[in-house]
Amino acid sequence: MVLTSSARDYFNRILQDISGMKVLILDSQTVSIVSVVYSQSELLQKEVFLVELVDSISKSNEPMSHLKAIYFLRPTSENIQYMRRQLASPRFGEYHLFFSNIMKDHHIHLLADSDEQEVVQQVQEFYADFVAIDPYHFTFHVPSNYIYMLPAVIDPSALQRFSDRVVEGLAAVFLALKRRPVIRYQRTSDIAKRIAQEAAKLMYQEESGLFDFRRMEVSPLLLVIDRRDDPVTPLLNQWTYQAMVHELIGIQDNKVDVKSIGKFPKDQEEVVLSSEQDSFFKANMYDNFGDIGMNIKRLVDEFQQVAKSNQNIQTVEDMAKFVDNYPEYRKMHGNVTKHVTLVTEMSKIVEERKLMLVSQTEQELACNGGQGAAFEAVTNLLNNESISDLDRLRLVMLYALRYEKDSPVQLMQLFNKLASRSAKYKPGLVQFLLKQAGVDKRTADLYGNRDLMNIARNMARGLKGVENVYTQHQPLLFQIMESIVKGRLRDVDYPFFGNHFQQGRPQDVVIFIVGGTTYEESRSVALQNASNTGVRFILGGSSVLNSKRFFKDMEEAQRVARSSTSIV
Amino acid sequence: MATRNRTVEFRKYRDTVKSLRTPLSSSASASSGGPVIEMVNTSLLRSSNRSSYTPLSTQDPGPSSSSDAFTVGLPPSWVDDSEEIATNIQRAKVKMSELTKAHAKALMPSFGDGKDDQRQIETLSREITALLRKSEVRLKKLSAGRGSSEESNVRKNVQRSLATDLQNLSMDLRRKQSAYLKRLQKQQEGYDGIDLEINFNGSKSRLQDDGFDDVGFSEAQMTKLKKNEHISAEREREIDQVASSVHELAQIMKDLSVLVIDQGTIVDRIDYNIQSVATTVEEGFKQLQKAERTQKKGGMITCATVLVIMCFVMLVLLIIKEIIF
């Protein structure tokens, strides 16, 4: 089963069973959940004529008894408070309450208590508590995502909120899949362990009845890993379509806001990039930038053909045909404009920031050895005037992660250079990254230089040569997936939680990255699933990272950590 | 796709809370006793079939009665309009299926002259077009009128969804008619072929006949020719008619296309719509604040001026008083 379709099924069921005119009321999180899988026109088909946020619906008091209210909310105490207030003075004819996760008993009691007029028709739990951005990629949009980098003592309640949200979301994912997983986690990460522990407690003890599904021969696997085990992937420049758009412009819930990069007409300030609705995007989202250019050219040619046939209208028949084809034509027009705009804007940025040059060095740093040459390349780029501050910081970080132990002196030189070149550079951010995700903290063999096997494999790859210099990097996730397929994921590094062990090879694997996923990893998962190895992977994270968001998280964490130590 | 129904738990608790609450305020709730009892009944009824989560609307009269029990006031008048459009669309759909059948029948070769069929097709397509026209006019009226921002939003959305339905329907109708038209034309071409053949035969026979006396067409040939001419004229008229109705539909379509949402665009996003509503609401709020401020300022200024003038007048009075006395 695919996550997008199961989320859609949930909403179909919610909307189908209630007839008549409806108003849908969401909270700030469920808006994202619904938006990525359902469209406004589909809602209209289902007679939902008003969509509102739960906090803004309470501003007006005008009765609308001809409408039936459907609430789809996360069961947070904040939302329960809103609900109570609205039930006390009902505006709508009927109230149907759907909650996206397991409700606490006292919340039900609170609601029942305030429903004096008995307007509530039903209270249900529909476990669509994840933002299914792609068929195999989900996210939770956890607020204050940086928290995972901090040790528990600094802000225990915030960390508790973070892990609660993640555990609830994971529970919802498995309830939507109707499975109870065995749980493994990354040994060196405290937060991964904590989430695994709490998830296991929820699924095997507190709500074991709810998770008691028909036994499959092999339970699915939930693997919880830490972003800091692979800090390299979010630092790299991307060259495949979806990942590149996210890195250079930014994708939020499959929407791209292009306001920041230029002037556009009002209705094109934001565009939708959804693999579910846009067949061109679906076909090309994992392709290289170069290939995209060619495919877009083909798309434009096709469009011109259509436009031309629409232009020469001579007979009544042509006219009729034109009117028939017009909606299709208009749709195509919008789509072509969207992709052409995105690609032109991105190639402008690539040109401006000299990303070809930067990216080549980045990939070298991430994939191949050779410290002397790398040092020289990074120094040269730091001296280059047209390189942006962001890219400089990135390069130094990549260098530092790779050659942390090899040459502290050269590293210091680079730090100083960076500090002198970039005014924006926040002192200590690189050091903070090393402290967070340095070689001592990492579980996996990120650069493949710890044991002989990996060294040999890397050398073999070096001899074979690579197809594309800019996309040679494989995320660590790829190695993990390979070892899961082969059944060779080491128990020492990724222990099972509790006494629920895996028998045989799992067929469904949910990999959750605490701290956020990248679209490069999402691509890797999609390609892995397409290659048909009999194991299906689903990737999830607490947010979707690009390098900017990763930096922001780090800066925030560093700020909080510093302020708390200064207090102590 | 697991779900869990917590309605029973909720109701149980609600009922216990109520039973606790009623004795305290029994006199106050005496008037609303009727509907409450009714509600309990319906709730029991519904909880019995909750195990298989069935649609409420089909077998449960509870919702409407319960909402009637404590909601005063009728739905706004545009609801009637929208319902009427919906029934019109429904009727047009029924007629469409009839039309499809009639088309198929008319195109079938038959021994009769098929006039009845054609008349039926004509009336049907005229009726459907009229229905669509009527609904379209009504639809335009739907957005007119005043109300709060939410209300007007609802109205806009209702309008959009009905417009989408109408557009699909008219597209469907047009496609059917143009298909019919095409096949009709093809048939006519067939007739033309026959005509040619007849002419050819005729001239040939004339050639043959030339040898004898100048008789021209035989009687039978003449009648056949006439009949064919008649049929082709009829067909032509028909084609004209269908074409004109296609044209009319194109007009409707053009008017509707403004209202219909393009799928896959940003306008089709739920969050975008919420955001834009929020921003318009915010803007409205700002405007309101501004208005309030200017109003207040205006009030204050007039107040101050009045006071100053009063002061002045009083002062003058005081001076006059001093001078006189």
Side-chain angles (χ1 to χ4, degrees):
Chain A
M1 191 187 290
V2 181
L3 284 175
T4 37
S5 59
S6 64
R8 273 186 68 85
D9 288 347
Y10 272 128
F11 299 124
N12 278 334
R13 273 175 65 181
I14 290 178
L15 299 175
Q16 248 155 25
D17 292 346
I18 300 159
S19 67
M21 291 201 216
K22 294 178 277 278
V23 45
L24 181 65
I25 293 151
L26 305 166
D27 65 29
S28 54
Q29 293 250 330
T30 50
V31 164
S32 301
I33 295 171
V34 181
S35 294
V36 291
V37 292
Y38 232 77
S39 71
Q40 180 82 7
S41 52
E42 283 169 317
L43 280 187
L44 291 183
Q45 263 173 26
K46 295 258 169 16
E47 294 185 277
V48 176
F49 293 131
L50 186 64
V51 186
E52 282 278 357
L53 288 174
V54 68
D55 45 344
S56 65
I57 196 91
S58 55
K59 279 182 191 146
S60 161
N61 264 327
E62 170 198 8
M64 292 173 127
S65 52
H66 51 288
L67 296 177
K68 296 174 184 171
I70 298 175
Y71 282 76
F72 183 68
L73 308 172
R74 300 203 66 246
T76 60
S77 9
E78 211 181 4
N79 284 336
I80 299 287
Q81 286 310 320
Y82 281 124
M83 283 298 323
R84 291 190 61 179
R85 232 167 292 150
Q86 287 164 36
L87 285 177
S89 54
R91 294 177 58 196
F92 303 103
E94 293 176 15
Y95 283 74
H96 302 263
L97 313 185
F98 294 88
F99 289 92
S100 67
N101 219 313
I102 299 164
M103 287 181 79
K104 295 189 183 70
D105 283 341
H106 74 268
H107 282 161
I108 297 184
H109 293 169
L110 278 176
L111 282 179
D113 201 26
S114 42
D115 184 23
E116 284 178 37
Q117 311 208 27
E118 309 205 344
V119 281
V120 175
Q121 304 293 326
Q122 52 178 330
V123 181
Q124 304 239 31
E125 291 170 2
F126 273 51
Y127 305 105
D129 205 10
F130 44 87
V131 183
I133 32 185
D134 283 317
Y136 299 110
H137 188 192
F138 67 90
T139 175
F140 293 146
H141 287 318
V142 185
S144 54
N145 185 41
Y146 64 90
I147 284 289
Y148 76 98
M149 292 190 197
L150 301 171
V153 288
I154 289 184
D155 192 349
S157 66
L159 195 68
Q160 186 62 45
R161 274 200 301 277
F162 178 87
S163 74
D164 279 352
R165 174 67 187 99
V166 170
V167 170
E168 280 164 19
L170 286 173
V173 168
F174 282 99
L175 284 169
L177 298 173
K178 281 199 155 181
R179 297 291 181 78
R180 173 155 54 186
V182 295
I183 302 170
R184 301 178 75 166
Y185 62 97
Q186 181 195 320
R187 177 179 48 82
T188 45
S189 164
D190 292 336
I191 182 76
K193 184 174 179 186
R194 178 172 176 163
I195 284 168
Q197 186 180 11
E198 284 177 19
K201 199 168 131 209
L202 183 74
M203 292 174 189
Y204 287 98
Q205 291 169 25
E206 285 167 11
E207 294 287 349
S208 63
L210 193 58
F211 279 89
D212 195 12
F213 300 112
R214 198 160 51 87
R215 275 289 155 80
M216 309 300 266
E217 300 96 78
V218 194
S219 311
L221 170 66
L222 167 64
L223 177 63
V224 184
I225 54 180
D226 194 313
R227 175 76 272 163
R228 286 169 292 177
D229 214 32
D230 177 13
V232 170
T233 310
L235 288 176
L236 293 173
N237 267 306
Q238 300 295 326
W239 296 94
T240 55
Y241 196 20
Q242 190 185 29
M244 198 172 169
V245 173
H246 188 51
E247 177 64 40
L248 298 182
I249 307 172
I251 302 177
Q252 175 76 32
D253 292 337
N254 294 344
K255 257 182 338 185
V256 185
D257 188 351
V258 292
K259 270 197 296 273
S260 54
I261 51 166
K263 270 257 171 274
F264 296 97
K266 184 88 175 108
D267 57 332
Q268 282 167 28
E269 279 178 352
E270 278 184 282
V271 295
V272 183
L273 271 188
S274 161
S275 58
E276 296 282 291
Q277 287 166 352
D278 182 344
S279 56
F280 178 81
F281 184 63
K282 188 176 184 169
N284 294 291
M285 59 199 278
Y286 300 131
D287 282 352
N288 282 333
F289 191 52
D291 298 340
I292 299 291
M294 305 235 281
N295 290 343
I296 282 193
K297 189 173 175 300
R298 208 171 303 138
L299 187 73
V300 170
D301 286 346
E302 229 169 79
F303 176 68
Q304 270 176 339
Q305 212 92 49
V306 176
K308 209 179 278 169
S309 79
N310 276 344
Q311 258 167 13
N312 75 61
I313 292 170
Q314 281 166 342
T315 60
V316 180
E317 216 168 295
D318 284 347
M319 205 150 77
K321 214 195 278 165
F322 171 75
V323 178
D324 271 348
N325 295 336
Y326 184 66
E328 190 64 24
Y329 167 80
R330 210 165 57 160
K331 193 174 165 192
M332 199 171 166
H333 176 255
N335 212 14
V336 170
T337 324
K338 172 173 84 186
H339 288 296
V340 169
T341 315
L342 283 179
V343 170
T344 6
E345 289 306 321
M346 287 199 300
S347 48
K348 249 188 243 164
I349 295 174
V350 167
E351 194 56 37
E352 220 170 82
R353 283 168 49 185
K354 301 264 180 296
L355 287 186
M356 294 286 215
L357 208 64
V358 176
S359 181
Q360 199 174 347
T361 312
E362 282 177 6
Q363 296 280 338
E364 286 292 313
L365 279 171
C367 304
N368 303 324
Q371 192 198 347
F375 179 71
E376 202 159 310
V378 173
T379 326
N380 278 342
L381 285 174
L382 284 182
N383 284 329
N384 193 331
E385 285 303 326
S386 47
I387 307 292
S388 71
D389 288 348
L390 184 74
D391 292 319
R392 285 191 181 130
L393 180 56
R394 259 212 282 238
L395 282 165
V396 175
M397 278 187 176
L398 286 169
Y399 184 87
L401 283 171
R402 173 116 215 189
Y403 302 112
E404 185 187 351
K405 292 276 181 287
D406 296 345
S407 61
V409 184
Q410 282 180 328
L411 205 55
M412 275 321 286
Q413 282 175 359
L414 283 182
F415 285 166
N416 291 337
K417 191 155 219 114
L418 181 67
S420 66
R421 305 289 315 190
S422 313
K424 243 180 80 184
Y425 168 63
K426 312 269 184 310
L429 202 59
V430 185
Q431 286 91 329
F432 183 73
L433 175 70
L434 285 182
K435 213 157 81 192
Q436 285 287 328
V439 69
D440 305 330
K441 296 266 179 179
R442 295 198 294 263
T443 308
D445 191 5
L446 180 59
Y447 292 106
N449 50 10
R450 280 193 206 161
D451 64 41
L452 270 175
M453 259 292 278
N454 284 337
I455 294 176
R457 193 158 22 138
N458 271 2
M459 272 172 68
R461 199 175 64 170
L463 290 176
K464 244 191 291 172
V466 279
E467 264 177 44
N468 189 333
V469 192
Y470 301 109
T471 54
Q472 56 180 316
H473 174 253
Q474 290 277 21
L476 177 69
L477 189 74
F478 180 74
Q479 279 176 38
I480 293 177
M481 285 193 294
E482 260 192 345
S483 22
I484 289 175
V485 170
K486 290 179 185 150
R488 280 210 301 245
L489 196 65
R490 290 177 16 162
D491 286 358
V492 188
D493 290 340
Y494 300 96
F496 286 93
F497 199 89
N499 47 6
H500 309 279
F501 292 106
Q502 192 96 49
Q503 277 101 36
R505 202 175 62 161
Q507 281 162 356
D508 291 276
V509 180
V510 174
I511 300 179
F512 186 82
I513 305 182
V514 185
T517 52
T518 63
Y519 279 112
E520 186 185 345
E521 282 153 343
S522 151
R523 170 176 182 264
S524 193
V525 167
L527 297 183
Q528 177 74 32
N529 284 336
S531 70
N532 241 339
T533 47
V535 187
R536 210 187 36 181
F537 291 94
I538 293 176
L539 177 70
S542 49
S543 81
V544 186
L545 293 175
N546 54 13
S547 57
K548 276 194 208 109
R549 286 192 201 168
F550 191 49
F551 284 147
K552 225 174 100 199
D553 282 350
M554 268 194 288
E555 276 168 19
E556 199 66 16
Q558 191 194 11
R559 192 181 57 77
V560 173
R562 193 177 294 160
S563 67
S564 73
T565 48
S566 69
I567 292 166
V568 175
Chain B
M1 277 252 321
T3 62
R4 183 159 61 169
N5 197 336
R6 307 293 292 260
T7 317
V8 179
E9 211 177 322
F10 179 81
R11 278 177 203 283
K12 211 164 84 191
Y13 198 78
R14 188 168 69 184
D15 290 345
T16 46
V17 168
K18 194 170 54 202
S19 62
L20 285 178
R21 199 179 284 143
T22 358
L24 292 174
S25 58
S26 55
S27 58
S29 66
S31 56
S32 64
V36 167
I37 289 164
E38 187 187 71
M39 272 303 295
V40 174
N41 283 339
T42 52
S43 68
L44 279 174
L45 201 146
R46 215 168 308 140
S47 59
S48 63
N49 62 20
R50 60 99 214 177
S51 54
S52 63
Y53 174 62
T54 42
L56 285 169
S57 53
T58 49
Q59 42 167 245
D60 189 6
S64 62
S65 69
S66 63
S67 65
D68 284 346
F70 44 76
T71 49
V72 221
L74 293 161
S77 59
W78 60 262
V79 175
D80 297 338
D81 280 341
S82 80
E83 264 162 23
E84 193 174 324
I85 297 169
T87 46
N88 275 349
I89 289 173
Q90 213 51 48
R91 266 162 62 197
K93 271 188 189 148
V94 174
K95 290 222 154 65
M96 280 283 276
S97 57
E98 278 173 38
L99 184 71
T100 323
K101 272 184 217 143
H103 275 167
K105 206 170 156 206
L107 286 170
M108 231 145 35
S110 64
F111 293 112
D113 58 355
K115 250 193 197 135
D116 286 348
D117 289 344
Q118 277 153 29
R119 209 163 299 130
Q120 201 195 346
I121 288 174
E122 258 167 51
T123 46
L124 271 176
S125 54
R126 210 176 307 131
E127 272 170 10
I128 295 172
T129 323
L131 274 176
L132 291 180
R133 257 275 116 106
K134 209 167 82 188
S135 319
E136 197 221 330
V137 172
R138 283 239 149 181
L139 194 66
K140 276 205 186 126
K141 273 204 318 215
L142 209 61
S143 62
R146 278 152 195 285
S148 66
S149 66
E150 275 171 9
E151 176 87 21
S152 68
N153 245 318
V154 174
R155 238 176 1 222
K156 209 170 73 199
N157 280 328
V158 171
Q159 196 183 21
R160 274 178 177 168
S161 112
L162 288 173
T164 317
D165 277 357
L166 268 182
Q167 196 187 39
N168 288 341
L169 202 63
S170 64
M171 286 250 284
D172 210 20
L173 178 61
R174 226 191 20 254
R175 211 165 286 140
K176 279 207 177 101
Q177 276 182 332
S178 53
Y180 175 62
L181 204 69
K182 222 172 263 167
R183 290 187 53 189
L184 213 58
Q185 260 166 347
K186 220 176 256 166
Q187 278 192 356
Q188 198 180 33
E189 271 163 29
Y191 279 120
D192 284 347
I194 295 168
D195 281 353
L196 263 178
E197 210 175 312
I198 291 166
N199 282 341
F200 189 61
N201 284 343
S203 51
K204 216 180 296 62
S205 62
R206 207 186 309 179
L207 274 177
Q208 275 173 359
D209 288 345
D210 259 354
F212 305 88
D213 43 0
D214 221 6
V215 198
F217 293 148
S218 73
E219 200 73 350
Q221 276 174 335
M222 278 305 271
T223 48
K224 207 173 179 185
L225 201 64
K226 259 193 191 141
K227 200 172 165 193
N228 275 331
E229 255 169 22
H230 183 71
I231 287 173
S232 69
E234 183 97 333
R235 297 260 145 158
E236 218 155 86
R237 199 172 58 82
E238 235 169 82
I239 288 169
D240 274 356
Q241 220 153 39
V242 175
S244 77
S245 99
V246 164
H247 184 74
E248 205 169 323
L249 282 176
Q251 191 58 40
I252 293 180
M253 183 78 169
K254 214 178 87 190
D255 296 342
L256 286 179
S257 68
V258 187
L259 294 170
V260 175
I261 299 178
D262 289 331
Q263 266 162 33
T265 56
I266 190 76
V267 193
D268 202 12
R269 286 279 296 206
I270 296 164
D271 45 4
Y272 176 81
N273 279 294
I274 290 189
Q275 271 164 19
S276 63
V277 167
T279 48
T280 44
V281 166
E282 217 162 84
E283 243 157 57
F285 186 65
K286 259 183 213 155
Q287 294 285 341
L288 211 66
Q289 269 183 330
K290 210 167 147 193
E292 201 186 340
R293 224 177 299 136
T294 47
Q295 207 177 27
K296 213 183 251 172
K297 220 183 344 184
M300 226 125 86
I301 284 175
T302 45
C303 198
T305 39
V306 164
L307 279 178
V308 167
I309 290 170
M310 288 294 273
C311 280
F312 199 71
V313 169
M314 288 303 170
L315 203 72
V316 169
L317 280 179
L318 198 72
I319 290 168
I320 288 171
K321 192 182 150 200
E322 285 292 300
I323 290 171
I324 291 175
F325 302 102

